[in-house]
Amino acid sequence: MTGAVLLAWLGERNVGARLPAFWALIGALSAGIPMLAFSGGWMGWFLPFAFTGAVVASICRRRIDWEA
């Protein structure tokens, strides 16, 4: 929720931050990078969490209307 609010705020100030790929990339990194730190660098944990983060960020972005 916090990430969606921060990305929506950023999207209000920067048109490039509204792109779906940007949201998916930020979601993947914000979910995957902590798993690399806690799992000792094993990629088996990074990929599922990164995919989940990208999907969740994409779902959150879908409902935002910057034109209102």
Side-chain angles (χ1 to χ4, degrees):
M1 183 69 176
T2 304
V5 170
L6 289 173
L7 284 172
W9 175 82
L10 186 61
E12 289 176 2
R13 285 149 183 76
N14 185 346
V15 177
R18 297 179 186 182
L19 296 172
F22 179 78
W23 278 61
L25 179 64
I26 296 298
L29 292 175
S30 66
I33 288 177
M35 292 300 10
L36 285 176
F38 292 122
S39 67
W42 185 52
M43 289 296 285
W45 285 104
F46 173 79
L47 294 177
F49 276 85
F51 178 75
T52 303
V55 170
V56 169
S58 297
I59 291 170
C60 290
R61 187 210 171 273
R62 181 178 166 87
R63 302 299 294 176
I64 295 177
D65 182 21
W66 281 287
E67 304 304 323

